[in-house]
Amino acid sequence: MKPAFSVIFLTTLIGAAQGLFLALFTHQSYALFGLLPMQSDDFYGYGTLIVMVLLAAGLVASFFHLGRPERAWRAATQWRTSWLSREVIVLPAFMGVAFLFGVSHLFGIRPEIVTLPGGQVVDLSLLLGVVGTLLAFALFVCTAMIYACLRFLKEWNSPLTVINYILMGGSSGFILAAFYAVSAAPDQADFFAGWAIIITVLALIGRVASLIRNARLKPTSTMQTAIGVKHPKITQRSMGAMGGSFNTREFFHGKSDSFLRAIKPAFLLLAFVLPLVLLAISLSTPALLGLAFILQYVGLLAERWFFFAQANHPQNLYYQTVG
Amino acid sequence: MTQLALVIDLNVCVGCSACVTSCKEWNTSGSAGPLVDERPYGENPTGTFFNRVQTYEMGTFPNSETMHFPKSCLHCEDPPCVPVCPTGASYKRKEDGIVLVDYDKCIGCKYCSWACPYGAREIDEKQKVMKKCTLCVDRIYDMTMPEEDRKPSCVKACPTSARLFGDIHDPESAVSVAIREDGGYALMPEWGTHPSNHYLPRRKTKMKIHADELERADNPLKLDQQLPKPDKDQSTMDDVSAW
Ligand code: SF4
Ligand code: SF4
């Protein structure tokens, strides 16, 4: 498939935003049970501001993907059948709840809701955090299922797609949270960095697993089933278009095989290995976390590019020779 | 229930592309607005078409065969392109099974084209909406036309009558009979899309003659019985003429 930059930015930006939200709320939950020192409202509030900025940037990017953005509201109507429609609903819902979560912290609007038997007070921010967490995961699932549900695109049609979207977004968000904590709550940076290491390792395992899976895929459709002729040697002589068509532009990445081969180790290095090394070093030199986040973001852009480019659409069987 | 469809006879198609041009002509002049053409007279002309004729070669020259292969939306009975559409712009009509795009609702997200394994949908780069074959829905029900014209434009244009049009759910329709009796098949059956359009295979007319058919098996008067063959070392009548 042709990687569309709008979608690459959309998925990586909102992935980082969801991950950062989850990181902030994880911290708040730990603190609720006294496992970590509770931070000031400002820590969670301004952190959520970063979440909002990333989400907004992702949303802007997504509009560049649409031919008719002015009709985008219509995309919320088919949630019964379309994962894309579900994403269109869950994304603003998550934005809304994250926004309220931030507001409740920044303006101290935290009315008490219940007190747990252990004496922990559940207030509005916590409730919003729980709803936001559910929505963050729902958004990961919707985004990934847009790709994973297309059974013709075998490279995507796997639960690994969903798992990896969650893990890579989580990794990116927790590294960002660690970087944010270095300036906002320095003694908490190690908590986020520790989780970031765990999630990044899992993400690396998940991504390598999907690379191995994809390397072993056999195409289901062949030239024989495409045109219904049983002959071992079928050659296309003309595709019915001289100057290309939508079919030749949308479904090919347009780069050489060697480029594709070079991107793979590059993104594995940038998105997983280098951030892990930097995270490990950062436990003593926290300043490196910013670099880790940026390097990994570049790596994730490359990863997403590769994710699209690697998927081989069966329609390509019909578009091999101009003629 | 009705399921309108095309049946394309690959044994008859000569690859003239008359269906391509008549389709483009009809559908670019309709109320939905033109089908975009970019650089139509330039070096790399490109544009949106509903129907294209492709050519394939089987085997290696000189033992090869050429096949012309018209390809358009197959109006699948279980169309994977429809449920993925986030706006409901893509839909399958209940009354006749035609898969259509509502150009006024489409947001041009292209997701449906990803979900079609046949590459049957093409975006209109100018109107920024997804387009595809409509089976000439604006023609086949047009009561102002004489009945013989109420057929898709491509069917009318085909000089060899390689394209049949009709209801494949009616077992007596010409298309159903052709599919049933002439080996109609679907493209990429492995995806379970159940394409409504079918293709009739290329076929050779051959006659099988068995040895006993060269003689009259039932030959009471022994009129055309062959004489027993002489052994190799026996002289035959042929020798008589040799000297
Ligand atoms: S051929 Fe493609 S566009 Fe047409 S109905 Fe089938 S899946 Fe949809
Ligand atoms: S391009 Fe149009 S018809 Fe296709 S999925 Fe998007 S909104 Fe639906």
Side-chain angles (χ1 to χ4, degrees):
Chain A
M1 304 292 293
K2 184 175 179 70
F5 275 92
S6 48
V7 182
I8 292 179
F9 279 109
L10 165 73
T11 55
T12 49
L13 286 169
I14 66 172
Q18 289 156 265
L20 178 55
F21 181 88
L22 292 175
L24 292 171
F25 186 65
T26 308
H27 189 282
Q28 193 186 344
S29 317
Y30 269 59
L32 176 73
F33 292 99
L35 301 171
L36 288 171
M38 182 61 87
Q39 298 301 305
S40 66
D41 272 338
D42 278 0
F43 173 75
Y44 301 112
Y46 285 114
T48 313
L49 201 64
I50 306 177
V51 172
M52 294 306 294
V53 170
L54 291 171
L55 285 174
L59 197 65
V60 170
S62 76
F63 275 88
F64 283 97
H65 186 65
L66 303 183
R68 294 282 198 149
E70 75 280 8
R71 298 176 182 165
W73 62 272
R74 286 189 185 275
T77 58
Q78 300 302 308
W79 49 272
R80 282 184 207 80
T81 60
S82 169
W83 283 104
L84 179 51
S85 187
R86 289 171 198 158
E87 186 192 38
V88 168
I89 294 170
V90 175
L91 177 55
F94 174 64
M95 277 184 97
V97 172
F99 176 76
L100 294 177
F101 177 79
V103 167
S104 105
H105 275 298
L106 281 179
F107 297 97
I109 312 169
R110 301 176 58 171
E112 212 171 289
I113 295 174
V114 295
T115 308
L116 297 182
Q120 299 90 348
V121 179
V122 174
D123 61 19
L124 182 66
S125 79
L126 209 70
L127 182 73
L128 288 168
V130 171
V131 177
T133 299
L134 293 177
L135 286 171
F137 275 103
L139 184 53
F140 274 129
V141 172
C142 290
T143 310
M145 278 309 285
I146 290 176
Y147 309 106
C149 77
L150 297 172
R151 58 191 199 279
F152 321 116
L153 288 154
K154 298 179 82 174
E155 288 82 355
W156 298 348
N157 185 219
S158 147
L160 280 172
T161 303
V162 181
I163 294 170
N164 288 343
Y165 266 73
I166 296 175
L167 289 174
M168 287 187 290
S171 159
S172 159
F174 271 81
I175 296 180
L176 183 55
F179 175 54
Y180 168 63
V182 169
S183 50
D187 50 336
Q188 301 304 306
D190 282 359
F191 166 74
F192 293 112
W195 268 115
I197 291 176
I198 296 172
I199 302 173
T200 310
V201 168
L202 291 176
L204 176 61
I205 295 173
R207 195 61 182 98
V208 169
S210 87
L211 286 176
I212 294 174
R213 171 186 178 272
N214 291 353
R216 299 158 63 138
L217 285 179
K218 268 214 194 84
T220 304
S221 289
T222 59
M223 218 47 249
Q224 284 73 20
T225 66
I227 64 170
V229 172
K230 188 75 188 157
H231 196 295
K233 187 170 186 288
I234 301 177
T235 325
Q236 184 170 44
R237 290 293 171 216
S238 133
M239 63 165 74
M242 297 298 285
S245 64
F246 173 69
N247 308 75
T248 60
R249 291 187 288 267
E250 181 73 4
F251 300 90
F252 292 93
H253 50 74
K255 292 282 191 297
S256 65
D257 277 352
S258 49
F259 183 83
L260 205 64
R261 269 199 299 280
I263 281 279
K264 185 159 47 170
F267 84 68
L268 285 175
L269 205 66
L270 281 172
F272 304 103
V273 179
L274 283 181
L276 276 173
V277 172
L278 290 173
L279 279 168
I281 305 176
S282 78
L283 296 177
S284 55
T285 335
L288 287 175
L289 285 166
L291 182 64
F293 175 72
I294 293 171
L295 275 187
Q296 191 198 36
Y297 187 73
V298 174
L300 287 177
L301 290 179
E303 187 280 331
R304 220 40 57 87
W305 187 92
F306 185 84
F307 172 78
F308 285 103
Q310 199 194 22
N312 186 21
H313 199 289
Q315 77 106 37
N316 291 352
L317 288 169
Y318 295 110
Y319 296 91
Q320 303 183 42
T321 318
V322 172
Chain B
M1 237 188 38
T2 309
Q3 173 65 65
L4 297 180
L6 296 171
V7 170
I8 298 167
D9 192 343
L10 299 175
N11 200 37
V12 176
C13 173
V14 291
C16 69
S17 288
C19 53
V20 178
T21 48
S22 70
C23 164
K24 178 86 175 187
E25 193 275 334
W26 175 262
N27 286 296
T28 206
S29 353
S31 55
L35 293 181
V36 69
D37 271 318
E38 286 173 281
R39 305 178 299 277
Y41 304 106
E43 207 171 312
N44 280 309
T46 186
T48 301
F49 283 75
F50 293 170
N51 178 33
R52 304 204 182 245
V53 176
Q54 307 188 320
T55 303
Y56 295 88
E57 183 177 336
M58 282 84 72
T60 319
F61 181 81
N63 296 319
S64 66
E65 233 185 283
T66 303
M67 183 172 96
H68 302 291
F69 178 80
K71 181 167 85 71
S72 55
C73 169
L74 308 167
H75 298 278
C76 301
E77 299 208 46
D78 194 358
C81 55
V82 168
V84 300
C85 174
T87 62
S90 275
Y91 62 105
K92 184 170 177 72
R93 283 162 48 117
K94 285 222 164 50
E95 61 271 35
D96 53 15
I98 300 182
V99 177
L100 286 178
V101 181
D102 183 336
Y103 302 151
D104 293 331
K105 282 190 185 165
C106 174
I107 54 172
C109 68
K110 306 179 196 163
Y111 192 28
C112 52
S113 71
W114 294 11
C116 166
Y118 307 101
R121 294 174 165 245
E122 297 189 16
I123 201 146
D124 187 311
E125 302 279 4
K126 198 150 180 207
Q127 287 182 27
K128 301 283 182 201
V129 294
M130 193 54 74
K131 296 196 169 175
K132 61 177 275 305
C133 161
T134 66
L135 268 186
C136 283
V137 72
D138 50 349
R139 203 185 150 94
I140 55 179
Y141 295 113
D142 187 347
M143 291 305 163
T144 62
M145 285 191 177
E147 199 187 338
E148 69 268 23
D149 283 344
R150 282 181 234 144
K151 285 180 182 165
S153 205
C154 56
V155 174
K156 289 291 292 178
C158 180
T160 59
S161 303
R163 306 175 75 94
L164 310 177
F165 169 67
D167 173 14
I168 57 161
H169 282 181
D170 167 8
E172 295 318 316
S173 67
V175 279
S176 294
V177 171
I179 294 170
R180 203 162 58 233
E181 296 183 357
D182 295 328
Y185 64 88
L187 304 183
M188 292 187 186
E190 60 273 21
W191 298 118
T193 56
H194 301 287
S196 301
N197 284 11
H198 282 70
Y199 289 80
L200 304 184
R202 286 176 53 74
R203 42 209 187 276
K204 299 239 165 91
T205 313
K206 284 183 190 154
M207 206 161 79
K208 176 101 184 130
I209 300 176
H210 298 274
D212 61 341
E213 287 168 328
L214 291 173
E215 273 168 43
R216 276 170 62 164
D218 184 20
N219 189 16
L221 298 179
K222 308 276 180 248
L223 277 185
D224 53 6
Q225 192 169 29
Q226 285 191 356
L227 296 168
K229 261 215 165 98
D231 267 355
K232 280 214 179 64
D233 48 357
Q234 266 179 350
S235 61
T236 68
M237 280 298 281
D238 293 349
D239 297 341
V240 177
S241 57
W243 51 269

